[in-house]
Amino acid sequence: MAFQRVLSGIVTYNPDINRLIENINAIAPQVTTVLIVDNGSNNCKEIDSLLNNHVNVCIVYLHENKGIAYALNRILSYAESHNYEWFLTLDQDSVVPENLIEEYSKATSIDKVALITCNIVDRNFEGKVPSVAYDYVSTCITSACLTNTRIARYVGGFDDTLFIDSVDHDLCIRIIRSGYKIYRMNNVNLLHELGHSHKISFWGFNYVVYNHSKFRYYYIFRNRIILGRKYGTMKSSIKYILLRFFSILFFEKESYAKIKSAISGTVDGLKFKLL
């Protein structure tokens, strides 16, 4: 049964069709509409065939990669124009539990709550068992995030100029600074995979090696610096990129190309160069 009227939005880019089918099969029975916004995938015909299996799935084709933020804003606009008070955003490979919306519905009436998230478990690591049933957090990822449509628009929506990385964190910062809250339900788990990551130990320190592409590293470094400049958090941004430089340089394959891309992103971030 769908809870009230909820939109679920999935941004796709060359998705694994079998995983996308799992994704849609898991969320479609829980919501009113599933909106797929495709960022110029090469397998659009396969994506289009998914419409035959669900009456509440629709697709918007952007015909080129306009970035995650642009696609998320299309989902936000759809939610507004079709009078959805809340919309759920999902990565193309996220498969939600069958009780996600039912559990989230318990928190939608909490005062000042703008985003509702759950316990994210990385597929590459052992998950932590939360010590409390729920808590308030300062940030959350886009996948499996239930967003209040009115508040998202009030704080300015998603920043198109960020293109792909830190888009979720940027929105969270504006949500918190506008006096709203992010509520995490720890009794609900979502399996999520961040890159092809693994942990290593070196000289008594633990590092996470993400193994992103050089394309992704450009935006990761650029946008981290841009957020630092926008919100006065440059100290933490610099600490973050130094740790990531170290991790890429010593523990990742094709490190030279990735470091070159990361440096380019850092320089453009310092210049506040967008798009």
Side-chain angles (χ1 to χ4, degrees):
M1 294 294 293
F3 141 69
Q4 298 175 5
R5 292 186 71 254
V6 175
L7 170 70
S8 177
I10 305 172
V11 179
T12 55
Y13 180 69
N14 298 328
D16 177 291
I17 294 299
N18 289 330
R19 179 61 64 81
L20 182 59
I21 290 171
E22 285 185 72
N23 187 345
I24 294 171
N25 287 343
I27 193 58
Q30 301 185 54
V31 298
T32 311
T33 302
V34 177
L35 173 67
I36 298 173
V37 180
D38 183 74
N39 252 330
S41 295
N42 297 321
N43 53 351
C44 288
K45 288 185 178 179
E46 292 178 87
I47 298 172
D48 207 40
S49 67
L50 302 180
L51 291 174
N52 300 325
N53 301 319
H54 296 279
V55 296
N56 63 335
V57 177
C58 56
I59 304 175
V60 172
Y61 290 106
L62 301 180
H63 304 295
E64 61 179 303
N65 189 358
K66 291 180 173 291
I68 186 73
Y70 183 92
L72 289 171
N73 276 325
R74 288 294 295 266
I75 295 169
L76 170 58
S77 295
Y78 188 98
E80 288 180 306
S81 63
H82 291 79
N83 299 313
Y84 287 101
E85 185 179 356
W86 294 86
F87 64 94
L88 180 80
T89 49
L90 291 172
D91 288 354
Q92 63 189 17
D93 57 356
S94 297
V95 180
V96 304
E98 63 181 9
N99 65 335
L100 182 77
I101 299 300
E102 179 184 356
E103 290 298 318
Y104 277 4
S105 68
K106 299 173 183 178
T108 55
S109 60
I110 298 174
D111 186 45
K112 292 290 187 178
V113 166
L115 306 178
I116 304 170
T117 187
C118 60
N119 183 47
I120 307 298
V121 180
D122 195 314
R123 295 176 187 270
N124 298 303
F125 308 118
E126 292 184 5
K128 294 181 179 180
V129 179
S131 58
V132 293
Y134 72 89
D135 54 3
Y136 292 99
V137 293
S138 60
T139 189
C140 67
I141 65 172
T142 301
S143 195
C145 179
L146 187 66
T147 302
N148 183 284
T149 304
R150 178 187 62 81
I151 296 173
R153 178 59 69 198
Y154 173 75
V155 300
F158 302 91
D159 187 350
D160 289 355
T161 64
L162 295 178
F163 192 75
I164 188 169
D165 275 285
S166 296
V167 173
D168 41 14
H169 298 307
D170 176 69
L171 179 70
C172 289
I173 291 170
R174 285 182 278 121
I175 288 284
I176 295 295
R177 293 193 176 192
S178 297
Y180 296 100
K181 299 175 182 178
I182 304 171
Y183 186 89
R184 183 172 65 191
M185 307 192 76
N186 294 319
N187 60 327
V188 182
N189 296 324
L190 176 77
L191 287 177
H192 179 75
E193 187 170 6
L194 186 58
H196 303 285
S197 55
H198 64 274
K199 290 181 179 179
I200 60 167
S201 295
F202 184 75
W203 285 1
F205 293 95
N206 294 319
Y207 297 91
V208 176
V209 180
Y210 292 95
N211 292 303
H212 289 303
S213 67
K214 64 179 183 180
F215 171 82
R216 284 290 303 277
Y217 276 129
Y218 170 83
Y219 286 102
I220 287 170
F221 281 75
R222 189 200 71 163
N223 292 349
R224 183 56 67 120
I225 292 294
I226 285 173
L227 260 62
R229 294 192 62 188
K230 282 175 66 175
Y231 301 115
T233 56
M234 277 296 289
K235 186 175 180 180
S236 62
S237 292
I238 291 171
K239 180 180 178 181
Y240 174 86
I241 65 172
L242 287 175
L243 287 172
R244 293 297 289 272
F245 266 124
F246 179 85
S247 176
I248 295 168
L249 183 61
F250 291 101
F251 305 115
E252 294 200 20
K253 297 179 180 179
E254 301 179 355
S255 59
Y256 176 78
K258 292 178 180 180
I259 285 292
K260 186 177 179 181
S261 184
I263 291 173
S264 179
T266 301
V267 170
D268 284 350
L270 291 171
K271 292 179 178 178
F272 219 86
K273 182 178 179 181
L274 300 171
L275 299 182

